[in-house]
Amino acid sequence: TAGGSRSVPATSARPELRAIEHMFATGGGGAGVSTATPRCPYGDAMTDLVTTAEQRQRYANDGVTVVRGACDPIWVERLRAVADRSMGERTPLTREYDSNTGGRFHAATFRWLGDPDLGAFVRESPAGRIAGELMGATTVSFFFDHLLVKEPGTGNPTPWHQDLPYWPVLGEQICSLWFALDTVDDDNGAVRYV
């Protein structure tokens, strides 16, 4: 999606915020696309749409929309397990952002390549279908996952920013999906788009 996002720092009285962001693009074009990239085809007949006409129109008009309840709760539990495993690892693809206020701010990328639960989510969940429906595409390619965990007490807000400079792809059909793994509100770090 186009636009900036920011999260409000969690306070010690708030629950942690775990989220995974996925990036999809149509077809197989664009810089940095691997031929091994999972594809999420769903053919010509789109009879059981995950998104509504209103959500698709809002995405077309504003570059952003909310799709609630599209994933079965079992996916949320599996992705929470991914977050918990990641918190215990230190690899070149994990990062701890400095937090002088007590809570950890953990990030990890490309977890889907080695984590069976996240790999299954990429291939089997409705995420690819949601991206395809919003972009009006019958095939999408998955490029990137970004896990973010902010524990209670984390005082590091994410500043307003554009995601586009971070994406190694060209084209107009690029979609980022943000999945909250915990209840999100203004107090613990709701993402905002402008």
Side-chain angles (χ1 to χ4, degrees):
T1 56
S5 62
R6 128 185 126 80
S7 59
V8 178
T11 65
S12 58
R14 300 289 180 211
E16 71 182 343
L17 175 63
R18 296 171 286 186
I20 293 185
E21 181 178 31
H22 290 85
M23 189 186 98
F24 293 88
T26 58
V33 179
S34 165
T35 55
T37 300
R39 301 172 84 69
C40 306
Y42 40 92
D44 296 328
M46 294 176 52
T47 54
D48 295 323
L49 295 176
V50 177
T51 60
T52 66
E54 180 181 341
Q55 290 165 332
R56 292 188 301 278
Q57 189 60 52
R58 179 174 216 133
Y59 182 81
N61 293 342
D62 301 335
V64 65
T65 193
V66 176
V67 180
R68 296 187 195 282
C71 286
D72 188 287
I74 192 69
W75 285 120
V76 175
E77 290 306 315
R78 288 178 75 177
L79 293 177
R80 285 178 178 163
V82 170
D84 292 343
R85 285 191 294 274
S86 183
M87 292 286 285
E89 298 175 359
R90 296 291 183 271
T91 74
L93 298 175
T94 61
R95 181 172 178 182
E96 296 292 326
Y97 294 96
D98 184 39
S99 177
N100 296 324
T101 56
R104 284 176 67 190
F105 183 3
H106 174 83
T109 55
F110 297 104
R111 297 273 320 168
W112 74 278
L113 294 170
D115 191 292
D117 287 322
L118 191 50
F121 181 81
V122 167
R123 291 187 221 24
E124 301 166 20
S125 80
R129 184 172 185 136
I130 292 167
E133 288 178 15
L134 293 175
M135 293 187 292
T138 57
T139 303
V140 297
S141 296
F142 175 82
F143 290 99
F144 182 77
D145 66 88
H146 190 193
L147 170 69
L148 300 165
V149 179
K150 285 188 172 186
E151 291 183 327
T154 302
N156 296 41
T158 303
W160 289 100
H161 64 277
Q162 287 275 351
D163 283 349
L164 195 56
Y166 301 100
W167 295 340
V169 295
L170 301 173
E172 298 296 320
Q173 291 289 69
I174 302 168
C175 179
S176 180
L177 302 179
W178 190 82
F179 290 90
L181 305 179
D182 297 297
T183 300
V184 177
D185 59 29
D186 286 338
D187 291 331
N188 76 340
V191 171
R192 298 167 194 231
Y193 295 91
V194 294

